[in-house]
Amino acid sequence: MNKKLQVLNALDTAKTQWYHFTAIIIAGMGFFTDAYDLFCISLVTKLLGRIYYHVEGAAKPGSLPPNVSAAVNGVAFCGTLSGQLFFGWLGDKLGRKKVYGMTLMLMVICSIASGLSFGHDAKSVMATLCFFRFWLGFGIGGDYPLSATIMSEYANKKTRGAFIAAVFAMQGFGILAGGIFAIIVASAFRAKYDAPSYEVDPVASTVPQADYVWRIILMVGALPAALTYYWRMKMPETARYTALVAKNAKQAASDMSKVLQVEIEPEQQKIEQMAAAEKSGRGSFGLLSKEFLRRHGLHLLGTTSTWFLLDIAFYSQNLFQKDIFSAVGWIPPAKTMSALEEVFRIARAQTLIALFSTVPGYWFTVALIDRIGRFVIQMMGFFFMTVFMFALAIPYDHWSHKENRIGFVVMYSLTFFFANFGPNATTFVVPAEIFPARLRSTCHGISAASGKLGAIVGAFGFLYLAQNKDKAKADAGYPAGIGVKNSLIVLGVVNLLGMLCTLLVPESKGKSLEEMSGENDEESGGAGEEAEYNNSRTVPVS
């Protein structure tokens, strides 16, 4: 389109260069921190139960009561959901860069505060922990729409999918780092403060110093975020925001000339024409307008529903994998271990899963997303997650025998692999590509918040659903559930629904952001608008 701004054209056609990689690292370190902070809690919930909910004379170690466990595991997701909506909206109002620093500082402060949760009785420690984890989640929530939007607006047309997916793939390293760090801390404390197992001596099995272990693990999450703050503040605002939303052609051209190291003409006249078109009512539709509904309503339904369904399955698996490992005997019964040994074993199991399935899955997406497209990867991921969930669930009794446990863990790992080489990555990438610049961050925030709603359903729901059908065998304080087998069948059905909702999501491979959002047509006053809209709705078959 001849009306397209030179600065946007330069970004779309730019060769992959150093600034792309620095942008990936700067945005990616936020995601590294997000994953570390969100998932490290699952490494220490058993330890918190032993320290603060020990019952004198009980046959099993103390565990968090159902309401406390649900709050500790789920409160960060409630914060994340709120943060995604709020910062997503703010990113479109104030600009990506201004809001980016706020989210990072919130993450640093609340990571440290979570570890400093004060008080000696269980109630005060859990209350302050939940309070700070809510606000930690709020900061993490802002990172989702901002990181995705910044990366999509910085990237070139050819490798945009890989760049956005690479930012998201840092999540895998965050999960891995959490596990490795927990192994190191638990091993160091175990070497210094040796303790017997719970069945030998219930009180001595949890050494007083164990209280430092969970605090250290949570507080270290502040480090990577703090280290990238300076670099985030040095990044210029994205040219698409500056030109298309703030209407400052000179600033956009100046910023991108430095970044791309080429001379770019400001083209203020084109910007003024676009502003005039908006004033006359063309191309200025808002999120709640009929025009948005007509152009992007189905797209938003597609991105929100697929992310919602994916996260029910993904977070159920991730947060409670320790319970699944215990159910199949990969982690020994709690009473046969000391508190620190239990942290070590849970962290080791989570690290192995991350290393052999989670991390490779993310990078398969990075490598292939711009070759085979978002649609194919998402459809394939949901398909294989459905297959493996049913393969685990239907012959579940077979997997529970000791000699078949390794097979269970391999199958379980494959569901993680195809979540990440599949919808867990693509649901993050696509909303950053298909909406107009002035609504991009907001729409990504809405899609991501829908995902976190799914995570909350998964985190709270799976905790209760997976309990033993026999009330006497359920965890202390929990009602009888439907068992792990039936819970896995439910998750399989959820993945099947994800495949159907994927049909609503358009393919954005190889197209510029303005082509996908129809902003080219807005610039030219609507010529070819209908054709563009119909084109963006086309679902690929290959």
Side-chain angles (χ1 to χ4, degrees), residues 42 58 62 103 106 115 123 133 149 224 233 240 262 341 343 367 374 380 404 408 424 457 467 487 502 516 540:
S42 68
T103 63
L106 199 53
K123 211 171 195 176
R133 278 192 68 77
T149 303
M233 292 299 89
R240 284 183 161 92
V262 292
E341 188 184 349
V343 173
R374 289 75 165 141
M380 179 195 67
N404 301 326
F408 180 93
N424 194 37
V457 170
Q467 293 299 323
S487 300
T502 297
M516 285 308 300

Side-chain angles (χ1 to χ4, degrees), residues 1 16 38 67 74 89 178 233 244 261 295 302 322 333 351 365 424 457 460 482 492:
M1 171 87 40
T16 300
L38 283 178
N67 57 338
W89 168 79
M233 292 299 89
L244 299 175
Q261 295 175 331
R295 288 178 177 226
K322 59 185 183 300
T351 303
T365 302
N424 194 37
V457 170
F460 292 111
I482 61 171

